[in-house]
Amino acid sequence: MPDDRKSEYRKPDYRKPDYRKIAHELAQLGAEAANRARATGNGHYARLARTLTNRAGEILDDLDRAGKA
């Protein structure tokens, strides 16, 4: 019978984040927020759209500067 208790003490599986994927997802969310801002006229969505797309751009710029693009 295998000892299942050992599975409780395994180290967590930490992986390096995929920053390119994160930036892409932020840009998609920004586009969705921009669409909602246009549809509703809600300035909060417009601001959220700008913030999300700006952060996505900053991540990609950082990756370019680090030579990881």
Side-chain angles (χ1 to χ4, degrees):
M1 183 165 151
D3 187 3
D4 292 330
R5 288 180 295 151
K6 289 183 181 178
S7 64
E8 295 175 28
Y9 300 105
R10 276 191 214 149
K11 289 184 180 178
D13 184 18
Y14 293 115
R15 291 183 224 154
K16 187 175 177 183
D18 183 350
Y19 291 110
R20 182 163 308 288
K21 181 179 177 185
I22 292 169
H24 180 73
E25 291 172 0
L26 287 175
Q28 285 181 321
L29 290 170
E32 290 176 24
N35 288 338
R36 185 154 306 185
R38 281 190 291 278
T40 64
N42 188 326
H44 293 289
Y45 285 119
R47 190 177 84 187
L48 177 61
R50 284 191 303 273
T51 299
L52 290 169
T53 53
N54 286 343
R55 294 302 177 264
E58 290 169 2
I59 290 170
L60 292 174
D61 289 345
D62 288 345
L63 290 172
D64 286 343
R65 278 194 294 274
K68 296 180 180 178

